[in-house]
Amino acid sequence: MADRKTFPLRMDPAVFAALQRWADDELRSLNGQIEYVLRDALRRAGRLAPRDLPPDDDAPAGGA
């Protein structure tokens, strides 16, 4: 597994609860869900080239 950076993250309790419910619904950890949401936002905003992002473990087989 690639090296990972760690840092404390403070957020509104309602945002935390919503992210936790979303993660539970998609069978991910909260950390995994936050990474998924951030990767998606980075892709949509064109902030990182696809080659700079780690593979998306949640991508459907055969591409979407």
Side-chain angles (χ1 to χ4, degrees), residues 4 7 12 23 25 27 33 38-39 45-46 48 51 58:
R4 294 186 177 262
F7 66 96
D12 181 271
D25 289 347
L27 303 175
Q33 187 68 20
L38 290 172
R39 260 194 321 267
L48 287 176
R51 68 180 178 279
D58 300 312

Side-chain angles (χ1 to χ4, degrees):
M1 180 178 278
D3 291 333
R4 294 186 177 262
K5 301 290 183 182
T6 60
F7 66 96
L9 176 63
R10 291 181 292 276
M11 69 177 74
D12 181 271
V15 172
F16 182 91
L19 280 167
Q20 185 64 67
R21 285 190 305 273
W22 192 7
D24 293 344
D25 289 347
E26 297 196 7
L27 303 175
R28 291 189 187 101
S29 67
L30 179 60
N31 188 73
Q33 187 68 20
I34 291 169
E35 285 193 75
Y36 174 82
V37 169
L38 290 172
R39 260 194 321 267
D40 186 52
L42 289 167
R43 280 189 196 114
R44 289 173 186 254
R47 302 302 290 183
L48 287 176
R51 68 180 178 279
D52 295 333
L53 290 168
D56 187 353
D57 295 335
D58 300 312

